[in-house]
Amino acid sequence: MSGTARQGAGEAARSTEESTAAMTQTRPRPQPADPAPTALDAAPSGRNAPARRAPRPGPRAGRRPLGGAAGVLFEPPGARGRRQRRLGSVAAAALIAAFAAVVMLQLGRHGQLDWARWQPLTQASIQRFLFSALGDTLLAGVVSIAIGLPLGAVMGLLRLSRRRLVSVPAGAVVELLRSLPLLFVVYFFLLGLPSLGLRMPPFWQLVIPIVLHGVGNFAEIFRAGVLALPRGQSEAGYAIGLRHGQVMRLIVLPQAVRALLPTIIGQAVRALKDTTLGYVVSYPELMHQGNVLGSFLENDFLQVYFEVAVIFIALNWLLSKLAEWVETRTGRTPRPVRPRPNTAPQIGVPKTN
Amino acid sequence: MNVVADHFGEILTGFGRTVLLTLVSFAAALVLGGLLGLCRVAPLGVLRSLAACYVHTVRNLPLLLVVVVTVFVLPQLGLTLSLNTSVTVGLAAYIASYVCEILRSGMETVPAGQVEAARAVGLTTFQCLRLVVLPQALRSMVQPLGNMFIATALGTAVGSVAGVNELSGVIRQLNVQYVEPLALFASATVLYVALTLAGGLITGRLERRLRIHR
Amino acid sequence: MTLRRPTVLAAAIACAAALAASLTACGSSELPDKPGGGAKSGGDLLSRAPVGQDLPSTPTLERIRKNGHLTAATSDTDPGFSEKNPLNGKYQGFEADLTAMLAKYLLGKPEVKHVSINADTREALLQNGTADAVVSTYKITPERMRKVAFGGPYMNLGQAVLVRKGMKGIDKAADLDGRKVITTAGPSVESLKKVAPHATPVIFQTISQCLQALRDGRGDAFINNQAVIVARAQKDTALEVLPFTFGSASYGIGLPKDDPKFREIVDGFLRTVEEQGLWKQSWKDNVSPLTKQPVPEPPKPGGAGGDPSAATPPASTPTASTGS
């Protein structure tokens, strides 16, 4: 039962400053204050086992329960403490269950759980309708990411350029892209550009604003990732005679990308969610088609929204699974190189979608 | 620009509603997100997974969906709140999932030694949280929380599809009536940017004030 | 941030399984046919629809012919007029019929590409050439005539009021003043502002949402066109239609402003379908089943024209030709 909190936590955005602070504390890794392995804190899979930890000193490698103060806030319980916690867990679980029961009861009383209301969703034609909308959402999302990611990487590197003539304008563009509300960029593409004589189909009216917005965020992610990499890496590159571009391409970027994967996936989730702005430009994405279906079914629209919600959650969950799979494929647990908290997308600005 | 001048009062009223909605939603999100954040680091596995489930569910949903579902599902649960309140609840519930993660990662940036030192001088867990961990965590949280404030401000725009007549709702109604999209949307953009800029400035000042010089 | 715990995994698998089950356990019983489903009339109507002869060449017509289809901005969610049927992906309703017949008139075949609209963007879609025509309860107003041209009018339609049973104090449209009135963005709001300037419009995206909001007590009344109001009132005994209509107005086909010859072609098309009885046939199939009223006389097209001053008279007559 305790896996999520422990493992999800390992990816917390952590500023490099703090990592360095942690580095200076030369305490043995299995910290004395670490909770003793109890039923609650059973050691997870072998990947996180102490034996696999990186031998070099430095920030803790791999995933661990909760970093920093959060992990040691509560003392490891004694025998009585364990009993109390078990009691507390049972009580909390009972409360949650009671709450869920009340919710279901109320929904039932209002007839929301009647089979007649859910039955339309079992029809193949209706599912086909929703899933073709899902296809449109995916298409817009994937294309946005496929264009935005490399462009963002380029912009991030330009901003890191040692020539001020390049880095300053690149920085200005990135900051501008990040600060414009996406909804209004979409409206600008719909209403503003045509008056300047530029026409494009709804797909691009939706995708280009998402790309522009994504470029700003991806650029910041890359920049932060590159900056967070230990200086020794690039210095070693220069020492063996590589040029700046080669150092970036061969040494810095591969490491940064691997470490940044979770944040990149977070940004991808956002791009997918941003496609719900498609209703503005008449793009038939999932949320819009959910509205159409809800309207057609007259009184069963809550059921339709439920399915749309499930699809979104499943989709984004699959995305994070994909990230993990890629991580294991690259054969190494991610290094604790993280962007600074204020640029990490999982805590960044979600748009008005 | 005529439309904007003629209906400036209406637009300002809508803007006022946007500001109010932003402030209340953000405050509510801080409270709810704070509670969730505490659950996230609680010693009880049940609470930790509850908070984790909440975060992963809500954060993977589009805001529009969260708000519409809040507006229409709460009455089905026997809770009929006003539309303003419902939209506030939806927005706050959405933002809270982000606030929870900010709080958690903020606490993780505080070195574990701090807690051990606090415990060594005899502070209880909650004293330690209140006097040692949270004040330090707050520093690294100001910037992302500022981002969240901006997100809340922009997020209020979904209120217009759920019957709340805030800034973007007013603008769209005026546009339907007078067909002056560019002038109207430009004025709205100016007001939104003013709001987010104000948020950014406050964040910056807070950050400077909280900064410790080592 | 990833989810890695077994319980969540199990939940997700359960969800996926449920979804898959719902996909396979399909077709057990089809949905009941909706009243006003144009599906049954569509084919017959279309086969009788005329093809325009000797149409003059205009920029818009050339573009339509080059594309091989008419790009029409229509609503997805307007029952009786233009509604997308998720079961077959087809559009049905009175305006959907008109659109298909217009395409056949222009191209010889009823090829339509639908672009769904929201009320903000209709002018923009026409101005930027995304759509060739807007057929979507598009009220003819002087403000719009500065931006777009109107073919038609092709119908006059009044607004009706739906309330929860037992609601007192609303005997005429002006009584809506000062009240919260639920509606969708579009013509209903405009009509409301004219008769009750101090009413607070409470706007939702779809009619289903509006009705649920009315039941939840989010407002005192729900206004929309008569067809929608009457049809929905029959399905919910807790709601009742008030015995008056208001804000009857002329609706036209929105067209690009810079192409007056194309507007004449569309007017000619409307005149033809009205003369051949196709207009009445489609109204009878789609709208009458909802309003439970006889088919009205179609309005004379050509009145709308491109001249802004010509638009006001129909909007200012408060009693509807379609009123009960």
Side-chain angles (χ1 to χ4, degrees):
Chain A
M1 279 297 276
S2 65
T4 307
R6 308 167 52 106
Q7 291 160 344
E11 294 165 8
R14 210 171 303 167
S15 84
T16 37
E17 209 177 317
E18 253 78 39
S19 307
T20 334
M23 213 185 298
T24 52
Q25 301 174 336
T26 48
R27 293 188 286 113
R29 199 69 52 57
Q31 294 169 23
D34 261 352
T38 63
L40 283 176
D41 291 294
S45 63
R47 190 166 134 200
N48 300 321
R52 294 277 304 270
R53 284 199 185 125
R56 63 183 176 83
R60 270 184 282 282
R63 293 150 187 272
R64 61 176 308 279
L66 284 164
V72 293
L73 195 55
F74 294 94
E75 287 179 87
R80 195 203 291 166
R82 270 203 295 277
R83 225 176 10 254
Q84 280 172 350
R85 283 186 188 186
R86 227 172 351 243
L87 214 69
S89 293
V90 171
L95 262 175
I96 294 166
F99 180 75
V102 169
V103 166
M104 294 312 271
L105 217 72
Q106 284 285 356
L107 284 179
R109 263 188 41 198
H110 286 82
Q112 292 298 338
L113 302 180
D114 295 352
W115 176 239
R117 285 182 177 247
W118 293 88
Q119 190 271 336
L121 287 184
T122 61
Q123 290 191 25
S125 46
I126 282 182
Q127 291 302 329
R128 264 200 301 278
F129 181 74
L130 276 181
F131 274 77
S132 81
L134 171 63
D136 284 325
T137 287
L138 275 177
L139 185 68
V142 167
V143 171
S144 310
I145 298 162
I147 303 176
L149 190 60
L151 268 184
V154 169
M155 286 306 289
L157 293 185
L158 284 183
R159 198 178 181 180
L160 283 170
S161 164
R162 286 176 298 185
R163 293 197 190 86
R164 289 182 60 82
L165 210 63
V166 178
S167 67
V168 172
V173 169
V174 167
E175 284 307 318
L176 180 73
L177 291 179
R178 270 162 55 85
S179 61
L180 284 177
L182 181 58
L183 181 64
F184 283 99
V185 182
V186 176
Y187 265 110
F188 178 74
F189 268 72
L190 181 72
L191 305 174
L193 278 193
S195 15
L196 305 176
L198 221 98
R199 291 172 182 176
M200 56 183 79
F203 178 78
W204 293 108
Q205 282 175 339
L206 174 65
V207 166
I208 296 181
I210 298 179
V211 164
L212 287 180
H213 200 75
V215 165
N217 287 321
F218 281 128
E220 275 310 274
I221 294 173
F222 272 102
R223 192 175 70 102
V226 168
L227 286 180
L229 209 66
R231 278 248 303 274
Q233 292 288 329
S234 46
E235 280 164 3
Y238 292 124
I240 58 170
L242 296 181
R243 273 173 286 114
H244 182 66
Q246 286 175 313
V247 167
M248 280 292 166
R249 188 164 52 83
L250 299 173
I251 297 178
V252 176
L253 270 188
Q255 298 189 59
V257 166
R258 195 176 300 135
L260 289 174
L261 209 60
T263 41
I264 289 174
I265 291 294
Q267 183 62 32
V269 167
R270 260 172 74 183
L272 268 181
K273 293 202 297 181
D274 284 344
T275 59
T276 48
L277 287 180
Y279 76 91
V280 176
V281 294
S282 315
Y283 183 72
E285 44 75 35
L286 188 54
M287 182 73 195
H288 177 76
Q289 299 301 74
N291 268 338
V292 171
L293 185 59
S295 175
F296 183 81
L297 297 177
E298 304 196 348
N299 294 329
D300 308 333
F301 65 95
L302 284 179
Q303 285 70 18
V304 176
Y305 286 147
F306 179 80
E307 179 170 346
V308 171
V310 168
I311 294 178
F312 263 109
I313 293 171
L315 195 63
N316 291 328
W317 179 79
L318 278 179
L319 253 178
S320 53
K321 282 281 130 189
L322 182 75
E324 277 175 36
W325 182 75
V326 174
E327 263 176 34
T328 43
R329 283 279 303 213
T330 51
R332 289 167 65 177
T333 49
R335 318 262 301 269
V337 175
R338 305 288 181 207
R340 306 176 70 83
N342 57 356
T343 52
Q346 64 261 48
I347 47 177
V349 186
K351 281 307 155 207
T352 54
N353 43 14
Chain B
M1 273 302 171
N2 259 339
V3 188
V4 177
D6 292 349
H7 296 267
F8 199 61
E10 277 173 64
I11 296 178
L12 270 193
T13 314
F15 182 57
R17 235 169 256 146
T18 292
V19 173
L20 190 69
L21 206 56
T22 308
L23 293 179
V24 177
S25 307
F26 188 62
L30 283 185
V31 173
L32 181 61
L35 285 178
L36 283 168
L38 288 184
C39 284
R40 204 93 159 80
V41 299
L44 297 186
V46 180
L47 290 184
R48 282 207 304 266
S49 25
L50 176 74
C53 271
Y54 180 90
V55 167
H56 290 299
T57 307
V58 176
R59 222 176 36 174
N60 280 343
L61 290 175
L63 175 58
L64 185 64
L65 191 61
V66 175
V67 168
V68 170
V69 165
T70 313
V71 167
F72 288 105
V73 168
L74 283 187
Q76 302 293 322
L77 301 180
L79 256 179
T80 307
L81 310 167
S82 78
L83 279 175
N84 275 322
T85 319
S86 306
V87 170
T88 306
V89 168
L91 192 54
Y94 181 77
I95 298 292
S97 68
Y98 287 83
V99 171
C100 166
E101 287 306 275
I102 292 171
L103 180 64
R104 198 209 55 194
S105 53
M107 294 212 278
E108 290 193 328
T109 59
V110 179
Q114 296 283 331
V115 177
E116 282 147 21
R119 206 171 281 149
V121 297
L123 297 186
T124 64
T125 300
F126 282 98
Q127 278 174 325
C128 160
L129 191 66
R130 192 164 55 86
L131 299 172
V132 178
V133 178
L134 283 185
Q136 295 187 65
L138 215 56
R139 263 172 219 122
S140 63
M141 285 162 55
V142 170
Q143 188 66 38
L145 283 182
N147 283 346
M148 280 299 90
F149 178 81
I150 293 170
T152 316
L154 300 180
T156 56
V158 298
S160 67
V161 295
V164 176
N165 217 358
E166 42 63 76
L167 181 57
S168 66
V170 170
I171 292 292
R172 287 170 56 192
Q173 275 179 44
L174 287 175
N175 181 41
V176 166
Q177 209 169 342
Y178 297 101
V179 205
E180 291 287 350
L182 285 184
L184 286 168
F185 284 112
S187 66
T189 309
V190 169
L191 288 174
Y192 273 115
V193 168
L195 182 57
T196 53
L197 220 59
L201 281 179
I202 294 171
T203 315
R205 286 194 64 153
L206 262 180
E207 207 172 25
R208 270 195 298 282
R209 185 167 295 182
L210 287 172
R211 181 179 299 160
I212 27 169
H213 301 281
R214 279 187 254 237
Chain C
M1 291 293 108
T2 51
L3 269 179
R4 313 184 79 233
R5 71 182 13 215
T7 45
V8 183
L9 195 105
I13 289 171
C15 281
L19 215 64
S22 69
L23 269 170
T24 47
C26 54
S28 48
S29 62
E30 284 299 313
L31 280 185
D33 224 11
K34 292 188 48 150
K40 56 185 184 301
S41 73
D44 169 50
L45 202 69
L46 271 180
S47 60
R48 285 161 52 206
V51 177
Q53 306 296 332
D54 307 323
L55 300 179
S57 167
T58 87
T60 313
L61 186 58
E62 287 313 309
R63 189 175 65 208
I64 294 168
R65 290 199 166 141
K66 205 179 104 216
N67 290 339
H69 55 72
L70 171 72
T71 311
T74 54
S75 172
D76 289 345
T77 53
D78 202 356
F81 293 95
S82 176
E83 187 179 34
K84 189 172 183 178
N85 184 341
L87 297 177
N88 54 19
K90 291 212 171 80
Y91 284 75
Q92 59 192 36
F94 174 70
E95 287 177 335
D97 282 351
L98 268 191
T99 312
M101 288 195 286
L102 177 60
K104 186 178 174 194
Y105 187 80
L106 299 174
L107 288 162
K109 54 184 179 171
E111 293 291 329
V112 183
K113 189 176 156 222
H114 288 268
V115 179
S116 71
I117 51 129
N118 60 63
D120 307 336
T121 55
R122 290 178 293 199
E123 293 82 16
L125 291 178
L126 277 180
Q127 284 176 320
N128 67 26
T130 306
D132 304 316
V134 173
V135 194
S136 171
T137 52
Y138 201 18
K139 201 159 149 179
I140 303 172
T141 68
E143 287 87 2
R144 290 200 180 119
M145 284 207 174
R146 286 200 285 271
K147 308 269 173 175
V148 300
F150 281 98
Y154 62 88
M155 65 172 175
N156 290 316
L157 203 60
Q159 304 292 320
V161 184
L162 191 66
V163 295
R164 292 182 297 278
K165 259 200 186 123
M167 182 80 196
K168 295 274 180 290
I170 306 177
D171 303 314
K172 53 185 187 303
D175 290 339
L176 292 171
D177 216 20
R179 290 179 185 271
K180 281 188 186 167
V181 181
I182 300 166
T183 185
T184 50
S188 303
V189 191
E190 300 167 51
S191 308
L192 177 69
K193 289 248 159 149
K194 284 227 170 69
V195 293
H198 299 295
T200 311
V202 179
I203 296 177
F204 289 96
Q205 282 177 304
T206 64
I207 286 158
S208 302
Q209 290 182 355
C210 287
L211 276 166
Q212 190 59 46
L214 181 65
R215 289 188 205 107
D216 293 344
R218 304 285 194 195
D220 301 315
F222 165 44
I223 60 167
N224 216 289
N225 69 57
Q226 292 163 298
V228 165
I229 293 289
V230 174
R232 288 302 178 96
Q234 285 156 4
K235 291 185 187 165
D236 193 333
T237 49
L239 306 175
E240 64 180 340
V241 188
L242 296 182
F244 65 87
T245 60
F246 68 100
S248 177
S250 298
Y251 293 81
I253 298 182
L255 300 169
K257 179 139 184 68
D258 48 11
D259 197 349
K261 263 156 86 188
F262 186 62
R263 184 174 55 76
E264 282 163 26
I265 295 176
V266 172
D267 279 348
F269 155 74
L270 287 171
R271 239 175 265 124
T272 317
V273 292
E274 289 179 8
E275 278 160 16
Q276 297 187 357
L278 297 167
W279 189 99
K280 284 193 170 178
Q281 180 66 43
S282 176
W283 189 280
K284 192 173 143 238
D285 290 340
N286 292 295
V287 186
S288 287
L290 303 179
T291 57
K292 305 286 180 210
Q293 279 174 24
V295 180
E297 279 305 311
K300 283 278 154 283
D307 172 19
S309 60
T312 28
S316 61
T317 50
T319 42
S321 58
T322 44
S324 47

